[in-house]
Amino acid sequence: GYRIRMAESLGDRDEEFTQFRRYCHFMTERTRIQNHTISLLMEMQKSLDQSMEQNILLEKRANTDALTGIPNRARYNEMADRLLQQSLEKQENFAIEMMDIDHFKQVNDTYGHRAGDQVLKVVADSLRKMVSDQVSVYRYGGDEFTILYIGLDYEGIRETAEKLRQDIYGNLRLSGLPKATVSQGICFSV
């Protein structure tokens, strides 16, 4: 009778032990799956972050002139429409300035394209300095640049354009690059 009771007692324990082993196996497998899921989620987040960084870089490249580092014509087209609409809605002054470097082809032909590129960079640096909430600048193409003014009165725009012209001339003189001047045309509206 003693052995039977002990076997019955151990039998119950064997069942408990079997259930405990199943539970441990279940928990181990569950933890493994959770860890794998976390690992996959982290990889997905890393991939998403990399994709977002790539998209930002691609958007910047698509909207920025590679030589001068200022916004390009595509960005100008987008912003001109947006800022014009904003000026109409808020009844603010809006103006567009087209500027080009005088006799730029002669600079390239006489001093070479490397010198011409440096002239473009100096002009872009002068333009970059004037960027504000009311002034945005763009390389339209070649030796042409566009400046958008919003919320400035006629006198403010005229003074800003004159300061830009003088800044470009002075920076070119200081840089030792070929002497160049710019022509500016401003359309003031609204």
Side-chain angles (χ1 to χ4, degrees):
Y2 173 75
R3 287 187 177 180
I4 292 176
R5 276 186 283 166
M6 190 167 171
E8 287 173 0
S9 173
L10 287 176
D12 290 344
R13 292 229 183 234
D14 281 344
E15 182 61 32
E16 286 177 16
F17 182 71
T18 301
Q19 288 179 356
F20 180 72
R21 276 191 7 212
R22 285 183 191 151
Y23 175 76
C24 288
H25 177 73
F26 168 77
M27 292 304 289
T28 302
E29 188 63 18
R30 180 176 158 194
T31 301
R32 187 189 67 75
I33 291 170
Q34 286 175 337
N35 288 340
H36 182 70
T37 302
I38 290 169
S39 176
L40 287 175
L41 289 172
M42 289 173 61
E43 286 178 34
M44 288 172 56
Q45 184 63 50
K46 182 179 176 183
S47 178
L48 181 61
D49 290 345
Q50 288 172 343
S51 293
M52 289 174 67
E53 288 173 12
Q54 286 284 25
N55 285 343
I56 290 168
L57 180 63
L58 289 172
E59 184 176 342
K60 184 176 180 181
R61 284 184 183 166
N63 290 312
T64 303
D65 179 65
L67 177 65
T68 62
I70 64 173
N72 62 15
R73 186 175 183 169
R75 184 71 173 158
Y76 161 77
N77 290 336
E78 176 188 333
M79 293 306 296
D81 291 340
R82 185 181 301 166
L83 292 175
L84 177 60
Q85 185 62 37
Q86 177 185 325
S87 73
L88 292 171
E89 289 171 3
K90 295 182 177 183
Q91 292 297 303
E92 295 178 308
N93 293 327
F94 180 77
I96 299 174
E97 175 180 345
M98 292 297 294
M99 181 187 79
D100 75 352
I101 302 169
D102 298 327
H103 313 292
F104 185 70
K105 183 177 180 336
Q106 288 177 346
V107 171
N108 276 335
D109 291 347
T110 304
Y111 301 99
H113 288 278
R114 194 171 293 189
D117 287 351
Q118 291 304 312
V119 168
L120 289 170
K121 289 177 183 180
V122 168
V123 170
D125 288 342
S126 294
L127 286 163
R128 194 176 291 109
K129 288 183 216 171
M130 63 186 290
V131 172
S132 70
D133 290 341
Q134 296 177 305
V135 180
S136 55
V137 300
Y138 309 88
R139 182 169 181 205
Y140 197 73
D143 66 332
E144 297 175 323
F145 297 87
T146 304
I147 300 112
L148 299 177
Y149 301 93
I150 187 165
L152 290 176
D153 62 13
Y154 177 80
E155 192 58 32
I157 293 169
R158 193 190 66 69
E159 288 173 7
T160 303
E162 177 59 24
K163 183 179 178 212
L164 171 64
R165 186 188 65 75
Q166 290 175 7
D167 192 55
I168 290 170
Y169 183 74
N171 288 339
L172 284 171
R173 208 167 30 101
L174 290 173
S175 69
L177 290 168
K179 182 180 172 184
T181 58
V182 295
S183 295
Q184 298 165 282
I186 301 172
C187 177
F188 186 82
S189 67
V190 184

